[in-house]
Amino acid sequence: MGGWKQVCGEPWILPSILTLIAPATDAFVAFNERVNVAMRQPQALHTLVYLHGFNSSPQSRKVTEIKSVLPGLTKELGLGDVDLQVPELGFDPDVALARAGDVIRPLLEAGQSVGLIGSSLGGFYASVLSQQYDLPAALVNPAAYPYQLLVDHLGPQHNPYTGERYELNESHILRLKTLEPEPPARPERLFILVQTGDETLDFRDVLGKHRGSPAWIQPGGDHRFQNFTTVLPAILTFLFGGNFR
């Protein structure tokens, strides 16, 4: 497995698979400081909030994969207890953010450590919520500009997980555009994970949007993010600290 590399300027790809890249020195240093601080703190309850993508649900494949490996990984990484929360977001952007916020706010009020994972459209939502609540977030093949991507999906829709049928209309697209967050003051709070073989999104758009954030760029793969569980140790370490090597 490749190690951390300090590079400046444009994000770039190493030929080896699963190579972790920090595109800016500040992001690299901040990542390590977060890990070191977390490792010095006593074990506490962490909560991982997963935000699913377009026409997906808490029954998605990634959620199943996370559930299958999370207990063993948290033990291996020395993280203590990590709870998993997966709100059903629905198709309306305002409803999606409200439901995610209803999960996040009580956790923060209880003093728990909260980290976000967002996939595809959920990655866009995670970037919005990261700024709103000042939370670390891992964005997995995220939709950089969903209001552009989803224009081709206007009209009747069917969620195969929930059975819900609905109409995706212009108001949803406009709302996504207004939700576009400002460039983050702390780009090191976002961990960008992309596979170059994504058939739905151009990974270069993602990296261009999130300059200054640490990124894991994996050659090949697809929009589902093949072998997702192999990157979970790095994600959990980024979100909560741990003994990842």
Side-chain angles (χ1 to χ4, degrees), residues 118-188:
S119 176
S120 192
L121 179 58
F124 175 79
Y125 289 146
S127 69
V128 174
L129 294 164
S130 172
Q131 287 204 43
Q132 183 177 350
Y133 293 101
D134 191 24
L135 295 174
L139 315 186
V140 182
N141 278 345
Y145 306 104
Y147 41 87
Q148 297 174 2
L149 177 69
L150 293 180
V151 166
D152 293 336
H153 297 272
L154 287 170
Q157 290 292 323
H158 172 244
N159 186 318
Y161 292 93
T162 65
E164 181 180 29
R165 296 186 181 277
Y166 64 94
E167 187 90 9
L168 185 69
N169 58 48
E170 289 284 356
S171 67
H172 299 127
I173 302 298
L174 292 174
R175 183 57 180 138
L176 286 170
K177 192 168 186 178
T178 63
L179 289 171
E180 178 70 72
E182 295 293 328
R186 302 175 64 189
E188 70 277 5

Side-chain angles (χ1 to χ4, degrees), residues 196-215:
T196 64
D198 189 330
E199 72 283 5
T200 301
L201 306 168
D202 190 331
F203 75 97
R204 292 166 295 190
D205 290 340
V206 178
L207 298 177
K209 179 178 181 178
H210 295 291
R211 298 176 188 273
S213 297

Side-chain angles (χ1 to χ4, degrees), residues 80-103:
D81 294 326
V82 177
D83 186 32
L84 175 64
Q85 295 286 330
V86 188
E88 185 170 320
L89 302 178
F91 66 90
D92 183 276
D94 286 321
V95 172
L97 291 177
R99 289 178 178 177
D102 287 344
V103 171

Side-chain angles (χ1 to χ4, degrees), residues 227-240:
N227 301 310
F228 174 63
T229 57
T230 63
V231 299
L232 275 175
I235 289 175
L236 292 172
T237 299
F238 175 80
L239 297 176
F240 305 121

Side-chain angles (χ1 to χ4, degrees), residues 6 13 19 61 79 91 119 156 172 177 180 189 195 225:
Q6 289 179 255
I13 303 172
T19 299
R61 179 174 166 183
L79 291 176
F91 66 90
S119 176
H172 299 127
K177 192 168 186 178
E180 178 70 72
R189 299 285 270 172
Q195 289 188 330
F225 205 101

